[in-house]
Amino acid sequence: MKLKRKRKNKVQIEQVFKEKNSFFLTTASPDGDSVGSMQALGIALQNHGKKASLYFPEPVPENLNFLPGKNAVVSELPAAPLDVMVVMDTGSSRLLFDGDKRGWGKIAKQIVNIDHHPDNDRFGEINCVLPEAASTGEIIFQILTHLNWEITPDIASCLLTAVMADTGIFRYPNVTDSTYSIASSLLKTKIDNGKIARQLYASYSYPYAKLLGRMFSNLKKKHDGKIAWSSLSQEDFAAAEAAEDEGDKMVEQLDILKEVHVFALFREMKDGIIKISLRSRNNLPVNRIASLFGGGGHVQAAGCKIKSTLKEAEQKVIQELDSFFT
Ligand SMILES: [Mn+2]
């Protein structure tokens, strides 16, 4: 039954893409997967004579600026409602436009939700939520292929970026045979996969590298290193001359530790909020811990925010992570 419904939703979305003319694409947080997926769909819609505006609520990370299709990025909401708003790679409507859904009708007449977060709350009128997909990019690939819309080299670059970003270049356990077969199809367009990998994982700025050094020197561990965590205070950001968003994905760098099962990064923001990123190996559900603090995410990658001091936030969250090992 479930499978049937999912297929039906995909077919409905394909119909919307074919029939409607103006699209507003957005996401809660711009990263390799969301930006790659949005750019890919944007280009595909434009290639079929449709209007697509891309709206990012936060600045797109600099290393993603190489992606093609930048021209349709808008910084303001449309004056009159477009046909469709496509929200991508976003688990909940709470994460969009300050959680206020009332204005959505002014943006578009219809809401489509395409995502792979398992805790997605199905906020769209049509929802295509496939937790088995390693990235939203995979779902976009499936939809475009099923529509018989050509995957041009530009679209393929965007989608491979999405796939590589959310799989840590095919390293994470979310990778399936379908991830590889999609990557294989994308590579047939003769795109530069080495360049994409370098853009994603070897394009450190000087402040990022300095901040990374601070993260590793603040490293702590518990339970023989099964839990490892670090923190970045406002002082650390200042010393590294790094902007706060330099720390956005930095937690993933802790994935090089030998014994680690669960790892976390606590970041002190200027507004007194502590942002906490949680990651796990061995399918330990860190999204369960994140949800205790009003956050959410995937089994192996989740996040939450706490208004407190760094020390307090560390205490509270590590105490919950303890439950995996006691
Ligand atoms: Mn994603």
Side-chain angles (χ1 to χ4, degrees), residues 215-245:
M215 181 183 78
F216 279 113
S217 43
N218 296 341
L219 189 62
K220 294 173 204 148
K221 66 172 184 171
K222 225 179 154 177
H223 299 289
D224 302 322
K226 289 195 184 83
I227 303 180
W229 74 99
S230 185
S231 58
L232 290 169
S233 64
Q234 279 298 311
E235 244 179 78
D236 290 313
F237 284 104
E241 293 176 68
E244 286 185 341
D245 62 3

Side-chain angles (χ1 to χ4, degrees), residues 31-34 37 88-90 115-117 133-137 162 166 249 298:
D31 65 15
D33 184 26
S34 59
S37 298
M88 302 164 90
D89 204 36
T90 300
D115 188 30
H116 67 131
H117 292 87
S135 59
T136 300
D166 266 21
K249 291 261 158 183
H298 301 280

Side-chain angles (χ1 to χ4, degrees), residues 134-135 138 162-172 174-175 179 201:
S135 59
E138 287 188 22
V163 171
M164 281 185 174
D166 266 21
T167 60
I169 315 197
F170 308 102
R171 257 183 322 153
Y172 302 153
N174 59 358
V175 169
T179 315
Y201 292 99

Side-chain angles (χ1 to χ4, degrees), residues 105-150:
K106 289 188 193 144
I107 300 172
K109 295 168 205 154
Q110 192 174 24
I111 313 294
V112 168
N113 165 16
I114 303 177
D115 188 30
H116 67 131
H117 292 87
D119 56 356
N120 185 295
D121 59 17
R122 269 91 175 157
F123 53 83
E125 279 142 79
I126 311 177
N127 300 289
C128 184
V129 180
L130 305 177
E132 64 274 23
S135 59
T136 300
E138 287 188 22
I139 307 171
I140 300 301
F141 175 86
Q142 290 164 1
I143 291 173
L144 296 182
T145 309
H146 203 254
L147 275 166
N148 238 331
W149 284 9
E150 189 195 348

